[in-house]
Amino acid sequence: MTSPIRYSRPPVELPLDSWLLEGGPAPGCTVCDALDLQRAQALERNDWAAACTAAREIRNHGHGPGELP
C-alpha cells in the first residue's frame, strides 16, 4: 500500500495546442481583420482564452455576399 503525498507539489502546466491559435484572416474582410487584431492583443497580454476565441471566430467566419469588398 502506498502512502498519500502530504506536501504540496508545483502545478502541472500543460502545453497549449498550437492549432487553437491558427487561422488566417480572409483578404479584404474587415471582420476578420478586427478579429485578428483582437487575437494579437490577447496574445500580448497572455489572455489565452480570448486569443483562442478570436482564432476560432476567424476560422468559422462565413463570408457571405457583401462581406468582402
Side-chain angles (χ1 to χ4, degrees):
M1 182 194 259
T2 62
S3 22
I5 297 174
R6 303 211 183 268
Y7 55 90
S8 62
R9 291 185 171 183
V12 175
E13 293 190 26
L14 300 174
L16 183 68
D17 289 332
S18 62
W19 68 267
L20 291 171
L21 297 173
E22 291 176 355
C29 179
T30 56
V31 174
C32 286
D33 288 340
L35 290 169
D36 191 38
L37 178 62
Q38 286 179 9
R39 178 178 52 186
Q41 291 171 344
L43 288 172
E44 286 178 7
R45 63 179 186 272
N46 291 328
D47 185 353
W48 301 105
C52 290
T53 299
R56 183 185 66 233
E57 289 184 24
I58 290 171
R59 288 191 305 269
N60 294 336
H61 182 240
H63 301 285
E67 290 195 30
L68 293 177

